[in-house]
Amino acid sequence: MALRFRTSLLLVFVCLLGLTLSATLYSVINATDANARANAERELEVAERVVETLLEDNRRQLTDRTTLLAEDFGFKQAIATNEEDTIISVLANHGDRIGADLIVLADTQGDIQISTHYLPAIESLRAELAGSSSPFGMLMIAEGAAYQLVMVPVRAPLLIAWVGMGFELDQALLDGFREITKADMTLLYRETDSGLAQIQSTLATDWSNLNRGATMPAVQQSLEAQIVADGWLSRVSWPLDSEQQQLALMVSVSLDEALAAYQPLQTRMLVIGLIALLLAALATAIIARRITRPIGELVRAARRIGRGDYSAPLTLQRKDEFGVLADTLSTMQGAIKEREQQIVYQARHDLLTGLPNREQISDTLTHCLAQQGLNGQLVLIELSNFEALSDVYGMAVLDEVVVEFGHRLQCHCGQGDHLGRVESNEFLLLLPSSGLQAQDDLINNLVALFDEPIQVNDIAIKADVRLGLLRCPAQADNADDALRRAHIALSDARKEGIRWQLYKDGRDTSHLRTLQVTHRLQQAIAQGGFQLLYQPQYNMARGIIHSCEALIRWRDDELGPMFPDEFIPLAEQSGVITRITEWVINEALTQMQRWQQEGLDMGVSINLSAHDILATDFIEGLIDRIEQEGIRKDRLILEITESAMMTDTQKALQNLKRLYDAGFFLAMDDFGTGFSSLAQLKRMPIHELKIDKSFVLQMDTDQDDQRIVLSTIEMAHHLGLSVIAEGVENEASLNLLRDMGCNAAQGYYFSKPMPLDELKAWVQAFHQQENTHA
């Protein structure tokens, strides 16, 4: 162990020092490289300014020499008298004398009279001459060479001509610049837009791979990239940059030479670093040898503590840091022991009330159920107005309520009873030996605990209690079943609006059935396991089938035929009802399009749930979809129930108004069985009332049903609404409805819901029969 520690310590120190030295060396190299680059950049900047100065000196000298010619009396007289031979002779002699490579004579309008070279940039020269009255200089490219040209006016005393002298920017000139600046020069120029770029350079570089026919910026970038790749640093300027001619001057210095000056420094730094690394390794090995023994003892103690053994005290007779570490480790041992006990307690208890949590009470329940002769009860106690209290008083006050709620229950517990908090508003009370006879007394006593309001900050808060009871082990012999069935009993009490409910045998099966149906419903939505049946709706006045109601059916591979009364409520509870509605609408719209193409005027009635009506995105999507399909909106009949308006009346009315204004035909389904008032009916944007079948099935023999139906029809007509009655199963009921002025009817008297492939033939046969009777 000691050898491993010494080796690790040695490696750590050597690695740390190595990293430090590497970082330092890396920083030095980067700094020297950056400094070398900065020096090279400064050299380039200085060289560029020197070149500009040299060109300016050349221009002044050339101007002075050309001015001597312009002021020569004989030369001016020859120009004035247009003695061409004399002019040419004077120009040639003076050009030879000053060593000019380019000679130009232009008239006052800027037209070239005499020139030693063809000048393609004549327009640029003419523009310069027209805008100037004093000597000026310019760069020009002529006949494949670059020139520095100076133009001087000839006056006698008025302007009679312009004379120009120029020197070629040739290789010798670039070599001279290189000697002065110690930087290499590259001249890149093009005579015309269509010509090839020309290169003159003091660099011994092969330019054959350059595409000289590209644009000048592209050629310049390629040239600079090649120079950089060869280890050079460059600066580029454009002394001539016109539409016709372009000339770039590139000044370059060797980056490798600049960096080479720092190579000795970098080498010395590397040697120093290696020596320091070796010395550190030696020192670390000596130090590690001295400290391994006390650390070994500390490691053994730490491993013992790690195994959960806190019994042996740690003693290390040293007064240095290792002694302090040993004392600290001993103190930590006691603290860990205490903290571990606290963590175990908190992991199995509710932090707010201090009661056992779900995990702890489940273990207790498992233990009790395993005992022989158990004859007890399990009570799940719910603070039923938890959310309402939270909305009114806030969580801080509600926490105090929960603490007092648990305290009262705890005070009620007798010897051997167990209480735990299993949810935010639920407590589980286990009474192992209460017996069935004490059930009524138990319920009354638990409810009576909360007759008195709970006082929090001088606020009297009434705690509503709901109980779910279970006999143990008669109704559950394991903890999971007991907890689930207690929740089922509590849920039943909640649904029925009563204070308590004893678990009913078999409810577990129905609960599992609910879970299974909900799960299979999700798969049916994803995989498409639904079918639509259609039930005809008969128009009394026209004597025809004017529409049909689309009714969903579901046959599951595992569950068999499923009735809507079972799976539709579960779809609403699980939040997938709107997806089912969207499927029904898609199927109905597809069929309506086919009927419309076949010339069949048939409306389709579809039921919307409360979730659908409150889903604004669904409403807007439905409007957009039917507008895209091109189907008459009034032929899609949307049925809503009175109870669907109860969740959020304002939003429901707003979305119904949106559908109404968009042109959809809206009907209130199952009228007479809900909770809406006549005032609410008056506000609802609908076109039709659908009388519930419970009033129609026996109306031929029940006069009360007849009165209710008649009054409903008359009321609807007074409100401007049409009326359809469902549940018509005999001719007598149909005749009564016709006499009462009912607009439409549907029911088994006409037909049961039928598949789509039977509907069209049935409608045709029905209309033929009606026409025969007529």
Side-chain angles (χ1 to χ4, degrees):
M1 187 278 294
L3 178 60
R4 289 198 301 271
F5 175 76
R6 285 199 300 269
T7 303
S8 300
L9 187 62
L10 178 62
L11 289 175
V12 168
F13 274 92
V14 170
C15 290
L16 288 176
L17 183 58
L19 289 174
T20 303
L21 291 175
S22 298
T24 303
L25 185 59
Y26 177 77
S27 300
V28 169
I29 292 175
N30 278 349
T32 54
D33 286 351
N35 190 52
R37 288 181 177 273
N39 289 338
E41 291 283 358
R42 286 193 291 272
E43 289 181 20
L44 287 175
E45 186 177 354
V46 171
E48 192 175 52
R49 288 200 298 268
V50 170
V51 170
E52 292 175 356
T53 303
L54 292 174
L55 289 175
E56 179 62 22
D57 289 343
N58 286 347
R59 186 195 66 78
R60 284 198 298 268
Q61 293 177 15
L62 189 57
T63 300
D64 293 341
R65 294 171 184 175
T66 306
T67 301
L68 292 175
L69 175 62
E71 293 178 352
D72 184 80
F73 178 76
F75 180 64
K76 290 192 287 186
Q77 186 177 16
I79 293 175
T81 58
N82 197 22
E83 297 178 17
E84 184 174 353
D85 292 340
T86 303
I87 295 172
I88 294 174
S89 176
V90 173
L91 289 173
N93 290 334
H94 192 75
D96 291 340
R97 191 162 51 249
I98 66 175
D101 299 313
L102 174 64
I103 303 174
V104 179
L105 180 68
D107 59 17
T108 56
Q109 301 301 317
D111 294 328
I112 303 300
Q113 303 299 315
I114 298 172
S115 176
T116 58
H117 293 69
Y118 170 70
L119 304 179
I122 187 64
E123 295 299 331
S124 299
L125 179 59
R126 184 180 290 116
E128 290 286 347
L129 293 174
S132 179
S133 60
S134 58
F136 65 88
M138 64 183 297
L139 297 180
M140 178 177 288
I141 303 170
E143 297 183 3
Y147 294 90
Q148 185 179 23
L149 176 65
V150 172
M151 299 297 295
V152 177
V154 181
R155 304 180 186 279
L158 298 177
L159 179 67
I160 60 173
W162 288 86
V163 63
M165 297 288 172
F167 291 104
E168 181 181 354
L169 304 179
D170 54 9
Q171 188 67 38
L173 181 65
L174 296 182
D175 290 338
F177 286 169
R178 184 180 184 280
E179 289 297 325
I180 296 172
T181 62
K182 305 304 179 185
D184 283 276
M185 305 290 164
T186 301
L187 203 62
L188 175 67
Y189 56 88
R190 174 177 286 164
E191 186 171 356
T192 62
D193 290 339
S194 60
L196 296 177
Q198 303 296 321
I199 302 174
Q200 291 190 38
S201 178
T202 61
L203 294 170
T205 304
D206 182 12
W207 311 110
S208 58
N209 293 328
L210 289 179
N211 180 13
R212 302 192 184 191
T215 62
M216 279 294 285
V219 176
Q220 177 263 319
Q221 292 176 4
S222 298
L223 186 145
E224 186 175 6
Q226 184 171 344
I227 291 176
V228 171
D230 292 340
W232 295 82
L233 199 63
S234 302
R235 287 175 65 95
V236 180
S237 61
W238 294 84
L240 175 59
D241 189 11
S242 65
E243 294 183 0
Q244 295 180 342
Q245 296 186 338
Q246 293 175 312
L247 183 145
L249 177 62
M250 185 179 299
V251 184
S252 307
V253 295
S254 176
L255 187 58
D256 293 338
E257 293 179 2
L259 294 175
Y262 294 91
Q263 188 64 40
L265 174 61
Q266 295 175 353
T267 302
R268 287 193 294 270
M269 289 295 299
L270 180 60
V271 172
I272 293 172
L274 291 175
I275 294 174
L277 189 61
L278 292 175
L279 293 176
L282 181 60
T284 302
I286 295 173
I287 295 172
R289 186 188 299 271
R290 296 182 59 187
I291 62 177
T292 52
R293 184 175 302 168
I295 288 182
E297 295 185 20
L298 293 173
V299 167
R300 286 190 291 273
R303 288 179 175 174
R304 177 175 50 77
I305 295 173
R307 293 192 299 267
D309 182 4
Y310 311 115
S311 57
L314 178 61
T315 57
L316 191 63
Q317 302 300 326
R318 295 177 67 105
K319 296 183 179 180
D320 55 9
E321 288 81 357
F322 290 109
V324 175
L325 180 59
D327 294 339
T328 303
L329 189 60
S330 180
T331 303
M332 185 180 68
Q333 174 179 275
I336 291 176
K337 180 178 180 181
E338 180 181 352
R339 192 176 300 113
E340 185 176 284
Q341 293 173 346
Q342 182 179 3
I343 290 174
V344 170
Y345 178 85
Q346 291 179 348
R348 303 181 69 83
H349 288 77
D350 177 54
L351 298 182
L352 181 62
T353 62
L355 295 172
N357 59 14
R358 187 184 189 93
E359 181 181 0
Q360 176 66 30
I361 198 68
S362 296
D363 290 346
T364 303
L365 179 59
T366 300
H367 176 73
C368 291
L369 289 173
Q371 295 179 357
Q372 297 293 330
L374 177 67
N375 183 21
Q377 297 186 75
L378 190 68
V379 186
L380 187 60
I381 307 165
E382 178 187 62
L383 176 57
S384 56
N385 58 340
F386 181 87
E387 292 186 3
L389 294 177
S390 174
D391 293 339
V392 174
Y393 299 108
M395 289 305 301
V397 173
L398 189 58
D399 285 346
E400 296 293 332
V401 173
V402 170
V403 171
E404 177 60 22
F405 192 91
H407 178 70
R408 292 188 183 184
L409 290 174
Q410 196 170 18
C411 292
H412 174 76
C413 293
Q415 185 176 2
D417 296 341
H418 303 278
L419 176 68
R421 187 186 183 196
V422 295
E423 297 290 348
S424 58
N425 65 329
E426 292 179 4
F427 293 79
L428 188 68
L429 178 60
L430 173 60
L431 307 169
S433 57
S434 62
L436 181 61
Q437 291 76 13
Q439 179 176 291
D440 293 338
D441 293 339
L442 170 65
I443 294 171
N444 293 331
N445 291 337
L446 287 175
V447 172
L449 289 176
F450 303 99
D451 288 342
E452 292 294 328
I454 296 175
Q455 298 291 331
V456 179
N457 299 332
D458 297 329
I459 303 174
I461 300 176
K462 184 67 173 67
D464 294 337
V465 180
R466 185 171 283 113
L467 311 176
L469 289 86
L470 183 76
R471 298 193 301 272
C472 295
Q475 293 182 310
D477 57 3
N478 62 77
D480 290 338
D481 289 347
L483 288 172
R484 184 177 67 254
R485 291 169 184 175
H487 273 100
I488 292 174
L490 181 62
S491 178
D492 290 343
R494 190 184 304 116
K495 291 178 181 178
E496 297 176 16
I498 57 179
R499 276 288 185 92
W500 64 276
Q501 176 65 58
L502 177 65
Y503 173 75
K504 299 176 182 177
D505 293 333
R507 276 290 289 121
D508 200 25
T509 302
S510 62
H511 178 71
L512 293 176
R513 164 79 176 185
T514 297
L515 295 178
Q516 185 181 18
V517 171
T518 303
H519 173 68
R520 296 295 299 174
L521 185 61
Q522 299 278 356
Q523 294 184 342
I525 294 173
Q527 301 172 3
F530 299 115
Q531 178 189 12
L532 280 186
L533 299 182
Y534 296 86
Q535 186 172 32
Q537 295 178 331
Y538 177 69
N539 186 297
M540 298 277 200
R542 299 170 60 191
I544 63 171
I545 300 300
H546 71 293
S547 60
C548 57
E549 183 176 4
L551 301 170
I552 190 170
R553 295 294 183 266
W554 173 31
R555 174 179 289 273
D556 186 75
D557 294 338
E558 294 183 6
L559 303 175
M562 299 296 299
F563 294 99
D565 291 345
E566 180 179 6
F567 71 83
I568 291 298
L570 294 180
E572 292 179 342
Q573 294 173 15
S574 59
V576 299
I577 185 63
T578 300
R579 292 174 60 189
I580 296 178
T581 305
E582 289 173 346
W583 180 87
V584 172
I585 290 175
N586 288 336
E587 292 292 314
L589 291 180
T590 300
Q591 185 55 41
M592 291 175 71
Q593 280 186 318
R594 295 196 187 107
W595 288 338
Q596 187 170 296
Q597 294 170 359
E598 296 171 358
L600 180 61
D601 184 17
M602 176 80 72
V604 175
S605 177
I606 296 174
N607 291 280
L608 297 185
S609 70
H611 292 77
D612 301 332
I613 298 172
L614 297 176
T616 304
D617 292 342
F618 167 78
I619 298 297
E620 296 298 329
L622 175 59
I623 295 173
D624 294 340
R625 168 74 188 280
I626 200 168
E627 288 178 351
Q628 294 174 1
E629 300 290 350
I631 298 173
R632 286 175 52 189
K633 297 175 185 175
D634 61 341
R635 303 307 289 142
L636 182 62
I637 305 166
L638 303 178
E639 296 186 4
I640 58 174
T641 60
E642 297 175 78
S643 58
M645 305 294 296
M646 303 303 293
T647 304
D648 189 343
T649 303
Q650 189 63 34
K651 187 173 183 180
L653 287 173
Q654 179 180 343
N655 287 342
L656 287 178
K657 185 67 165 55
R658 180 78 176 92
L659 292 170
Y660 187 92
D661 294 340
F664 288 87
F665 192 90
L666 304 182
M668 176 175 282
D669 193 15
D670 300 335
F671 183 76
T673 62
F675 305 98
S676 62
S677 64
L678 294 179
Q680 179 171 299
L681 176 63
K682 180 181 177 182
R683 290 193 301 155
M684 289 182 62
I686 57 174
H687 302 85
E688 185 175 67
L689 287 184
K690 190 171 190 178
I691 300 176
D692 186 71
K693 63 183 178 181
S694 61
F695 301 110
V696 180
L697 288 173
Q698 299 178 3
M699 67 173 294
D700 58 325
T701 59
D702 192 322
Q703 292 187 355
D704 290 336
D705 286 344
Q706 294 177 16
R707 295 187 188 97
I708 292 173
V709 171
L710 177 61
S711 61
T712 301
I713 294 173
E714 291 177 347
M715 177 195 66
H717 287 167
H718 283 304
L719 292 175
L721 306 177
S722 60
V723 181
I724 181 173
E726 63 177 346
V728 178
E729 297 192 354
N730 53 63
E731 185 176 5
S733 297
L734 178 64
N735 291 331
L736 285 172
L737 290 170
R738 182 183 287 111
D739 294 341
M740 293 177 183
C742 186
N743 303 94
Q746 78 177 81
Y748 281 18
Y749 175 73
F750 301 101
S751 173
K752 294 181 179 180
M754 67 185 73
L756 178 63
D757 53 2
E758 300 177 9
L759 178 64
K760 185 175 180 180
W762 184 92
V763 172
Q764 292 175 347
F766 180 85
H767 287 165
Q768 290 177 358
Q769 183 179 1
E770 288 291 302
N771 293 334
T772 302
H773 292 165

